[in-house]
Amino acid sequence: VDSFAGIIGGVVGIIVGQPFDTIKARLQVDVLKQYKSSFECATKTISQEGAFSLFKGVTPPCISVAIVNGVCFGTYSVVCNVLQKPDESQLSIAEVTLAGSIGGAVECLIVSPLEYAKLKIQLSHEPLRVTRQPSIGPFRFLQQRWRERGVRGVYRGLAMFAARDVPTFGVYFGSYELCVRAMRARHWHEQSATFLAGGVAGVASWFLCYPMDALKSRFQADERLTYARVWREARRAGVPALFRGCSITLVRAFLVNGVTFGVYEALIARLNRR
């Protein structure tokens, strides 16, 4: 039940937030400073490539979020059940955070290749129309990478992916539980509480992981980079460069995760009544 509700909520959230994610990806790797702001990036992309170009690479995250949320929400639920003591009505926030981190660790091995494919498709500058498919899809891209470089090619950036997602999912579930419990204690409307708590959880977790996400994006975008070179360039560019595109990402994070948890909790409640 938890896995199914997480999958549906995640897919709906991804579709809502994909344009924001495309803009974020382009800003993160824009070393030539072609775009001065998120708004300029969006308007140039639409004028040069068409409005549907903002949905480039939407297939991989829809597939990956189904896997991510199925695995992560399912693992989270299992770990919570293991940690639950008979004499306690609910887990502590620390236990919830631990369960979320374990869920994040499990999903890394499954989702990393799809995230890599999504980024590569988003960064292509080929116009995308309703009647025209992109020249290369996620699975074709991964097949090419497998033929060229094997497992290492498909899992490029896995270490950074894990460094991003393990702590992030801990904060994600922990902050959600903290917020939603506080709102329920004050008798907020359930749907408002879950949407707002989900949004806050998304913002908190993405703000924490954003610098690592920026490094991961740069490493995966440029095949010539090594881990050492990425770190050197990051130190040279400074902290502000690692937060480029962060504002639009936080807007996306609030919307996507508010929708995700809203749909998730509504489905859980409906399925449990049956």
Side-chain angles (χ1 to χ4, degrees), residues 61-188:
C62 281
I63 296 170
S64 66
V65 81
I67 300 171
V68 168
N69 285 20
V71 171
C72 202
F73 277 77
T75 304
Y76 168 75
S77 178
V78 169
V79 176
C80 284
N81 289 335
V82 171
L83 294 175
Q84 183 72 58
K85 299 179 179 66
D87 58 338
E88 293 181 354
S89 59
Q90 61 184 11
L91 296 177
S92 68
I93 298 300
E95 289 171 325
V96 169
T97 302
L98 174 62
S101 292
I102 293 173
V106 173
E107 65 86 29
C108 283
L109 290 174
I110 303 172
V111 178
S112 180
L114 287 169
E115 281 276 319
Y116 181 29
K118 179 198 76 169
L119 178 70
K120 284 294 192 178
I121 294 170
Q122 284 178 321
L123 298 180
S124 68
H125 290 274
E126 180 181 338
L128 179 63
R129 311 293 179 186
V130 178
T131 58
R132 183 178 178 183
Q133 296 297 318
S135 59
I136 184 169
F139 297 109
R140 184 181 168 193
F141 169 77
L142 291 174
Q143 285 175 348
Q144 288 182 356
R145 293 296 295 166
W146 181 273
R147 286 195 298 267
E148 292 167 1
R149 301 193 180 182
V151 175
R152 293 184 64 182
V154 171
Y155 278 93
R156 179 174 172 80
L158 176 62
M160 289 182 173
F161 192 88
R164 185 194 77 174
D165 277 17
V166 173
T168 295
F169 274 103
V171 170
Y172 183 60
F173 284 104
S175 57
Y176 173 76
E177 279 296 319
L178 183 66
C179 291
V180 82
R181 289 178 188 180
M183 293 176 195
R184 285 169 178 166
R186 290 168 173 76
H187 307 291
W188 279 52

